[in-house]
Structure formats: C-alpha cells, structure tokens
Amino acid sequence: MTKEARAWKEAAQWQMKDGRYHPIKGPVEVVVNFYLKYDRDVDNLKILIDSLEGIVLDKKDAKIEALHIFKERDIKRPRVVVEVYELEK
C-alpha cells in the first residue's frame, strides 16, 4: 500500500471512530455513493472496503454479500458516502 493510500485509509477510519458505529459480525450489504467533482473511474474500491474493517465490519470484507456502487457529479461538494446494512443470517 502506498504512503498516500495508507494516509487516506487512516483518515477514513478516524472519521468512523466517533462511537456511532459497532462492528457487524454477520453478512452485510454495502452501498457506496461517489459524488465526484470530475467524471472518473471508481473501480478501485479495495482501500475503501479495507477502511471499514475493525470499525464497521467485524473482520474481513468477505462478509459483504452485496455491493452497490453509484456515482454522480457534485462539483461543489465532492465526497464518498458509505452505507452498511446488516443482513439477516
């Protein structure tokens, strides 16, 4: 992992460490919404999913049973919104 990627992952994890999240132990569905300043590829999701491990996901991303990816333009407020839903076992 590059130094830049490691820094991004750590920053993402710090944003999730505010006490509102608990690790989900069972299967999950993940919805990722990219609001981009410019049209670009969003196919490299590994670092994003890895940032959820230990905070929202109990262990590995192998528990992700459904992954939905959306992207749209937002020139004024680019961001990534991730929603994780616990699925019934």
Side-chain angles (χ1 to χ4, degrees), residues 45-58:
L45 295 171
K46 181 163 176 36
I47 190 167
L48 178 65
I49 299 301
D50 285 351
S51 70
L52 301 173
E53 293 176 9
I55 298 172
V56 179
L57 302 179
D58 186 34

Side-chain angles (χ1 to χ4, degrees), residues 8 15 29-38 40-45 48-49 52 66-74 77-85:
W8 187 93
Q15 289 184 27
E29 174 181 16
V30 177
V31 179
V32 182
N33 291 284
F34 290 92
Y35 299 92
L36 305 171
K37 195 174 214 177
Y38 307 104
R40 56 191 282 191
D41 289 340
V42 294
D43 56 351
N44 189 358
L45 295 171
L48 178 65
I49 299 301
L52 301 173
L67 176 62
H68 307 280
I69 304 162
F70 302 95
K71 71 175 185 176
E72 55 184 273
R73 300 271 311 265
D74 191 338
R77 206 172 73 121
R79 63 200 181 279
V80 178
V81 177
V82 180
E83 300 171 65
V84 179
Y85 300 97

Side-chain angles (χ1 to χ4, degrees), residues 16 19-25 52 54-58 84 86:
M16 293 183 277
R20 292 184 293 163
Y21 306 99
H22 65 280
I24 298 171
K25 296 182 181 192
L52 301 173
I55 298 172
V56 179
L57 302 179
D58 186 34
V84 179
E86 187 169 12

